[in-house]
Amino acid sequence: MEFLKWDTEDVAKWVESIGFSKYKACFTENFITGKKLIHVNCNNLPKLGITDFRDMLVVSACVRVLLGITETPWNNSIADPRRDTVALFLEVKSRTGKWTNSLTYQQFLYYLEDPDYTPEPESEHDENEGDENEDDENEDDENKDDENKDDENKDDEDENEENQQ
């Protein structure tokens, strides 16, 4: 998935390599990077300035081949069809941010199973390894404090029972 790192010039070179050099400007002027290619389809190509229907079909097919995704089978059902997991992953990767930049395909597949999952960046995890031990020690201290409070409460309850009898 090297194309995710492409800038607008790399995308323009790719557009030229598939035989559509006349549309290079459409992609660069609209700031289409490798991450944004997932949004390039027949619905959005006219907004970029590509209006020839046959060219739209070929360009969108080439984008799907590059991204490794399948065409959505719209003729199978009136309900929204099941989406290709690679296409869903690329849609998430098209966004910017620390979480999406660190997200791998394997993590994404896990995320599909557990939507509350948030990956931890590996570099931060290694640097903060010592901090985790400190957190564990703090938790142990808190647990001991809770145990002492529980013991005190039990003693108070025992005294109250004795006084009532």
Side-chain angles (χ1 to χ4, degrees), residues 12-160:
K13 288 177 191 172
W14 175 78
V15 169
E16 185 176 31
S17 74
I18 61 171
F20 291 99
S21 57
K22 62 184 176 183
Y23 296 131
K24 282 174 51 175
C26 295
F27 283 82
T28 54
E29 290 170 3
N30 288 288
F31 307 104
I32 304 298
T33 63
K35 285 185 171 186
K36 299 296 179 187
L37 282 173
I38 187 64
H39 301 291
V40 174
N41 56 36
C42 285
N43 291 329
N44 295 326
L45 285 172
K47 296 173 191 171
L48 299 178
I50 302 171
T51 56
D52 182 273
F53 185 70
R54 287 189 182 100
D55 289 351
M56 289 169 43
L57 290 175
V58 173
V59 170
S60 61
C62 289
V63 168
R64 285 193 308 276
V65 168
L66 173 69
L67 303 181
I69 59 176
T70 57
E71 185 173 12
T72 307
W74 295 107
N75 58 351
N76 291 347
S77 171
I78 60 169
D80 285 339
R82 186 161 176 81
R83 298 284 308 277
D84 184 0
T85 55
V86 174
L88 291 172
F89 171 70
L90 293 173
E91 278 185 22
V92 171
K93 289 296 279 187
S94 73
R95 299 180 190 109
T96 58
K98 188 183 254 185
W99 186 80
T100 56
N101 288 340
S102 66
L103 185 68
T104 65
Y105 184 64
Q106 293 300 329
Q107 290 170 328
F108 177 75
L109 292 176
Y110 186 78
Y111 175 76
L112 287 178
E113 298 293 323
D114 180 13
D116 295 329
Y117 172 73
T118 304
E120 293 180 22
E122 293 178 19
S123 59
E124 288 182 17
H125 180 69
D126 294 339
E127 292 172 7
N128 296 330
E129 202 167 301
D131 295 343
E132 290 176 9
N133 294 335
E134 290 176 18
D135 290 342
D136 291 342
E137 290 172 10
N138 291 339
E139 287 177 21
D140 291 341
D141 291 342
E142 289 174 9
N143 290 338
K144 288 178 186 175
D145 289 342
D146 290 341
E147 289 173 9
N148 290 339
K149 288 178 185 175
D150 289 341
D151 291 339
E152 289 173 10
N153 290 338
K154 287 179 185 175
D155 291 340
D156 290 343
E157 289 174 7
D158 291 341
E159 285 178 24
N160 288 338

